[in-house]
Amino acid sequence: MVNCIETLKQIGIVPVIQIERAEDAKPLGETLKKAGLFAAEITFRTEAAAEALRIMASEVPELFVCAGTILTPEDAERAVAGGAKAIISPGTNPAVVRWCIEHDVPVIPGCATPSEVEWCMREGLNMVKLFPAEVVGGVSMLRALAGPYASMQFMPTGGISPDNVGAYLSLSNVAACGGSWIVPKAFLQEGQFDKVEALAREAVCLAKRYR
Ligand code: 3PG
């Protein structure tokens, strides 16, 4: 888990990806790598997600490929078998968190309240996702949580864009931010990898500027 947090801290911004065609995984991974953005969260919301993750993790091993929207231990197991380096869930999901701890797999569960943060701390976690970040208070919420939970690191996700990512990355309790703006579904569907590359390069610049 320590390595996972350090890696995500260095990268700063994690593209949240919804992928419909597994064959897009390799060119997309290569695009992110070319742009210098070495992380990806493949959300398990599509039929193609597990295969796409497997392809991206094996074909572009330089990337820190995570599985997102993991709602069950079975999906966590599938994702890890495919090469996922970390498991991310939208909520504080006890079954998923415990499966990951038992199997020594880094897990970043979503939290929206102090009680959920405390539950994760009791499980021994020191990084969680704030989700949906903008809806549950965003930067103000993270500032408030820094008081009682000084050791907890967050990966806010949900409603983050190039316009507000700097405010998040400037906070000492933010390890990294997640966001879907880097890989818009339309660009992926139309194979516009050059446009994705431009957005990924911009994200790399933003991460560097605010770190
Ligand atoms: C999600 O689960 O869809 C992520 O939180 C991404 O949110 P975003 O689309 O607001 O970046």
Side-chain angles (χ1 to χ4, degrees), residues 37-51:
L37 190 55
F38 290 96
E41 176 186 336
I42 307 283
T43 56
F44 271 45
R45 299 181 197 176
T46 61
E47 285 285 314
E51 178 63 1

Side-chain angles (χ1 to χ4, degrees), residues 16 45 129 131 157-160 178-181:
V16 175
R45 299 181 197 176
K129 160 171 159 169
F131 181 78
T157 307
I160 299 184
S180 65
W181 85 87

